[in-house]
C-alpha cells in the first residue's frame, strides 16, 4: 500500500466532480439511454429510470465514494482492507471493467468513424449496418479508440483527465441542448415528444424495470468499484454528499437531453424507436442534415461524443490499472499497457459479432427467464449491466450497511462530525434495507421468477 501523496490526488474539488461526472457521462447517456428507452416503452422506461436513480443510484453513489475516500485504495484493495473475505467483490469489479470496455471501445470506434465521416462525405451518407458488420474497418477504429484511452491513463490522474474534462464537458452540454432544440422543432416532432414524455404505465414489466436498473448502474458508473477508485483519490476536505447528488443529476440531465435530441427526430423521419444500438447513429446525422452548417455541427458533435466516451473509458481502464498498481505492485505504465491489450483482444470478437460472428451465441436462449440468445457484444452488455453491476451494488450495500457498518460510513462522510449530513438516517435505511431488497426484487421479476 502506498501513501496518499504517492498515488496522486485530484488537484481541485471541481476537478474531481468534473472527472467523476466525466466518468458517468459517456456513451451510456448519449448512445445507450435513448435506445434502451426506445426498446422499453419510451416514457415508461424514463419514469422507472428516474425512480431507481433517486432511490438506488444516489444511495450507492454515496456508498462507493465513501468507501473509496476512507480506504484510499482501488476497488479490490478497499474491500480487502475493510474485510478480507470481501476482496472477491472488488475482484468482480475489475473483471467487469474488462467486459464493459470490450464493447465500449467498439462503440467508441463507431463514433470516430462518424466524426471522420462528417468531413469526408456526410455522416448521413454512412451505411451504418454495412459499416459495423464489416470485418476489418470497425476493428481498426476500435484500436484507435483504445490507443487514445491508453494515452490519457498513461499520463496519470491530474494531468490528463482533469484538464480535458474542464473544457469538453460544458461544451457537450451546450451542444446537446442546441441539437435537442433543432430536433424538437422539426415538423412532426410532436409524436416523438409524447412517446418520450407521456408514460404508458401498462408498458412497465419486470424486463423494463431490470433494464432501467442496469442502465442506472451503467450510466452512473456504479456497481464495480469505479467510484470507489475515483473516491480514493479524494482528499478529506471534499463533500461526499454533494458529489453523490450532483454527479447523478448532471448525468441524468445529459441522458434526458440526448433522448430529447433523438426521439422527436425518430418520429419526424418515420424511423423505428426500438431499433437498438444503431439508434443514435441512424437518427442524429439526419437531424444535422436539417440544420444550417449541419456537417460542421455533426463533426463537432461526434468529436464531443468521442470525448465523452474517452472520459468514461479512462475511468474503466483506471480501475484495471489501479488494481495492477496497488495489488500486484506493477508500475503504472506496464499496468495500463497490460490492461488495454487485454481489452482490445476482447473487443475483437465483440466487433465481429455484428457481422462475421453474428451466428455465434455465447449465451443460449433461456425463454423461461426472458433471456434471448446472444453473441459477444450483446452478451458482454447483458452480463455486466443486467447481472454484475446490480449484483455489485447489492453486495456493496450489504457490505457498507452490515459489515463495515453505516456508523463508520457516516463518520467518514461527516469527517468525524465536522460536516453535517441531515439525511444520515434516511441513507442508512436505504443502504441497509431498501436498496438491497429492491435490487433483489428487480432481479426476481426481471428473470421472470415473480
Ligand atoms: N458511465 C459510463 C457511461 O455512461 C460508462 C462507465 C464508465 C461505466 N465507468 C463505468 C459503467 C463503470 C459501469 C461501471 O458511458
Amino acid at each position: 500500500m502506498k501513501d496518499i501523496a504517492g498515488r496522486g490526488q485530484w488537484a481541485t474539488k471541481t476537478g474531481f466532480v468534473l472527472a467523476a461526472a466525466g466518468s458517468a457521462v459517456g456513451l451510456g447517456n448519449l448512445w445507450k439511454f435513448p435506445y434502451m428507452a426506445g426498446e422499453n416503452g419510451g416514457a415508461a422506461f424514463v419514469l422507472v429510470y428516474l425512480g431507481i436513480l433517486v432511490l438506488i443510484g444516489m444511495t450507492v453513489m454515496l456508498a462507493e465514494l465513501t468507501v473509496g475516500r476512507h480506504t484510499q485504495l482501488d476497488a479490490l484493495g478497499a474491500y480487502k482492507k475493510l474485510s478480507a473475505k470481501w476482496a472477491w467483490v472488488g475482484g468482480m469489479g475489475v473483471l467487469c471493467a474488462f467486459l464493459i470496455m470490450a464493447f465500449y471501445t467498439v462503440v467508441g470506434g463507431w463514433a470516430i468513424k462518424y466524426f471522420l465521416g462528417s468531413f469526408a462525405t456526410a455522416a448521413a451518407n454512412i451505411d451504418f449496418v454495412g459499416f459495423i458488420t464489416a470485418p476489418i474497418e470497425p476493428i481498426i477504429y476500435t484500436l484507435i479508440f483504445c490507443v487514445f484511452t491508453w494515452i490519457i491513463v498513461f499520463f496519470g490522474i491530474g494531468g490528463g483527465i482533469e484538464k480535458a474534462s474542464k473544457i469538453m464537458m460544458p461544451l457537450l452540454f451546450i451542444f446537446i441542448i442546441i441539437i435537442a432544440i433543432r430536433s424538437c422543432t422539426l415538423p412532426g416532432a410532436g409524436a416523438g415528444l409524447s412517446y418520450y414524455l407521456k408514460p404508458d404505465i401498462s408498458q412497465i414489466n419486470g424486463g423494463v424495470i431490470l433494464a432501467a436498473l442496469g442502465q442506472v448502474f451503467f450510466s452512473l458508473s456504479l456497481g464495480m468499484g469505479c467510484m470507489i477508485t475515483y473516491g480514493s483519490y479524494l482528499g478529506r476536505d471534499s463533500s461526499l454528499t454533494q458529489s453523490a447528488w450532483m454527479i447523478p443529476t448532471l448525468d441524468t440531465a445529459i441522458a434526458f437531453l440526448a433522448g430529447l435530441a433523438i426521439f422527436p427526430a425518430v418520429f419526424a423521419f418515420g424511423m423505428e424507436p426500438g431499433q437498438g444500438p444503431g439508434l443514435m447513429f441512424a437518427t442524429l446525422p439526419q437531424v444535422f442534415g436539417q440544420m444550417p452548417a449541419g456537417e460542421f455541427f455533426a463533426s463537432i458533435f461526434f468529436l464531443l461524443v468521442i470525448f465523452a466516451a474517452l472520459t468514461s473509458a479512462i475511468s474503466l481502464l483506471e480501475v484495471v490499472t489501479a488494481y495492477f498498481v496497488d495489488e500486484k505492485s506493477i508500475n503504472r505504465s506496464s499496468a495500463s499497457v497490460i490492461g488495454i491489450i487485454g481489452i482490445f483482444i476482447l473487443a475483437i470478437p465483440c466487433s465481429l459479432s455484428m457481422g462475421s460472428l453474428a451466428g455465434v451465441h455465447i449465451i443460449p436462449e433461456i425463454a423461461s427467464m426472458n433471456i434471448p440468445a446472444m453473441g459477444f457484444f450483446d452478451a458482454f452488455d447483458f452480463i455486466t449491466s443486467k447481472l454484475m453491476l446490480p449484483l455489485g451494488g447489492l453486495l456493496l450495500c450489504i457490505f457498507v450497511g452490515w459489515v463495515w457498518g453505516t456508523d463508520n460510513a457516516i463518520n467518514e462522510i461527516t469527517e468525524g462530525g465536522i460536516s453535517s449530513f441531515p439525511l444520515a438516517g434516511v441513507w442508512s435505511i436505504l443502504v441497509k434495507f431498501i436498496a438491497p431488497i429492491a435490487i433483489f426484487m428487480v432481479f426476481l421479476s426481471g428473470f421472470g421468477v415473480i
Side-chain angles (χ1 to χ4, degrees):
M1 201 196 338
K2 290 178 202 71
D3 64 295
I4 301 164
R7 312 175 66 233
Q9 272 196 16
W10 303 104
T12 58
K13 270 187 236 175
T14 42
F16 163 75
V17 175
L18 277 174
S23 163
V25 176
L27 295 171
N29 308 59
L30 304 167
W31 160 75
K32 201 170 182 203
F33 179 84
Y35 94 71
M36 293 286 283
E39 280 181 337
N40 289 284
F45 176 89
V46 178
L47 186 71
V48 176
Y49 182 91
L50 292 175
I52 293 176
L53 174 89
V54 174
L55 217 62
I56 302 176
M58 292 189 182
T59 303
V60 175
M61 176 68 80
L62 182 57
E64 280 206 21
L65 292 175
T66 305
V67 169
R69 194 181 68 177
H70 181 77
T71 56
Q72 303 277 327
L73 287 170
D74 66 291
L76 193 145
Y79 274 107
K80 207 159 79 181
K81 182 174 177 186
L82 296 174
S83 169
K85 271 190 287 186
W86 284 70
W88 65 274
V89 182
M92 192 172 80
V94 178
L95 179 66
C96 209
F98 271 106
L99 295 180
I100 292 175
M101 278 297 269
F103 66 90
Y104 208 86
T105 54
V106 172
V107 183
W110 296 351
I112 296 178
K113 163 79 178 180
Y114 272 70
F115 167 66
L116 297 175
S118 55
F119 289 110
T121 50
N125 292 342
I126 296 173
D127 165 14
F128 179 73
V129 175
F131 164 63
I132 66 166
T133 55
I136 307 288
E137 196 190 356
I139 294 179
I140 293 172
Y141 286 108
T142 301
L143 179 63
I144 297 173
F145 186 84
C146 286
V147 170
F148 279 136
T149 309
W150 173 78
I151 288 174
I152 303 173
V153 169
F154 180 78
F155 288 107
I157 286 294
I161 308 180
E162 246 180 270
K163 276 185 202 140
S165 298
K166 276 185 189 158
I167 312 163
M168 301 295 249
M169 292 283 298
L171 207 58
L172 176 67
F173 205 81
I174 296 168
F175 248 75
I176 193 98
I177 290 174
I178 297 174
I179 299 165
I181 293 173
R182 173 69 271 210
S183 182
C184 292
T185 52
L186 287 169
L193 282 172
S194 65
Y195 178 79
Y196 186 49
L197 300 176
K198 268 221 215 103
D200 170 3
I201 306 291
S202 71
Q203 297 269 346
I204 300 175
N205 58 39
V208 170
I209 301 173
L210 179 61
L213 178 76
Q215 177 60 18
V216 167
F217 275 90
F218 187 86
S219 191
L220 296 182
S221 308
L222 294 177
M224 45 76 78
C226 190
M227 288 297 165
I228 295 181
T229 308
Y230 267 36
S232 77
Y233 296 111
L234 273 176
R236 274 286 132 73
D237 55 350
S238 50
S239 168
L240 294 176
T241 48
Q242 207 181 31
S243 306
W245 71 263
M246 273 173 61
I247 299 165
T249 304
L250 192 75
D251 184 76
T252 305
I254 297 202
F256 184 77
L257 284 168
L260 222 43
I262 288 175
F263 285 109
V266 168
F267 284 78
F269 296 119
M271 295 186 207
E272 170 53 48
Q275 63 179 264
L279 188 65
M280 176 185 94
F281 294 96
T283 47
L284 287 187
Q286 307 298 327
V287 179
F288 292 121
Q290 301 293 314
M291 290 166 82
E295 283 315 307
F296 170 73
F297 270 96
S299 59
I300 298 190
F301 175 74
F302 282 110
L303 183 66
L304 292 170
V305 173
I306 294 166
F307 187 80
L310 276 175
T311 57
S312 302
I314 53 188
S315 74
L316 287 157
L317 183 56
E318 183 61 35
V319 169
V320 175
T321 304
Y323 162 75
F324 283 125
V325 171
D326 287 342
E327 302 306 317
K328 301 277 173 230
S329 304
I330 294 175
N331 67 45
R332 198 177 165 81
S333 18
S334 319
S336 60
V337 174
I338 298 171
I340 202 70
I341 291 177
I343 287 162
F344 179 64
I345 291 172
L346 282 177
I348 295 172
C350 281
S351 179
L352 292 176
S353 70
M354 295 289 155
S356 350
L357 294 183
V360 178
H361 295 144
I362 60 169
I363 294 183
E365 182 182 349
I366 310 173
S368 62
M369 294 178 79
N370 311 323
I371 298 173
M374 283 174 269
F376 284 92
F377 188 107
D378 294 340
F380 286 1
D381 176 17
F382 171 83
I383 294 168
T384 52
S385 287
K386 292 190 177 165
L387 292 176
M388 291 176 85
L389 297 177
L391 183 64
L394 171 78
L395 292 169
L396 179 88
C397 287
I398 295 175
F399 180 74
V400 169
W402 302 95
V403 181
W404 185 37
T406 44
D407 288 347
N408 284 329
I410 289 166
N411 196 41
E412 174 66 36
I413 293 167
T414 62
E415 293 141 66
I418 296 169
S419 58
S420 76
F421 180 24
L423 292 178
V426 178
W427 181 73
S428 298
I429 295 171
L430 283 165
V431 175
K432 285 173 108 153
F433 303 103
I434 298 180
I437 294 171
I439 295 170
F440 186 67
M441 300 292 285
V442 174
F443 271 136
L444 293 186
S445 75
F447 292 115
V449 182
I450 53 171

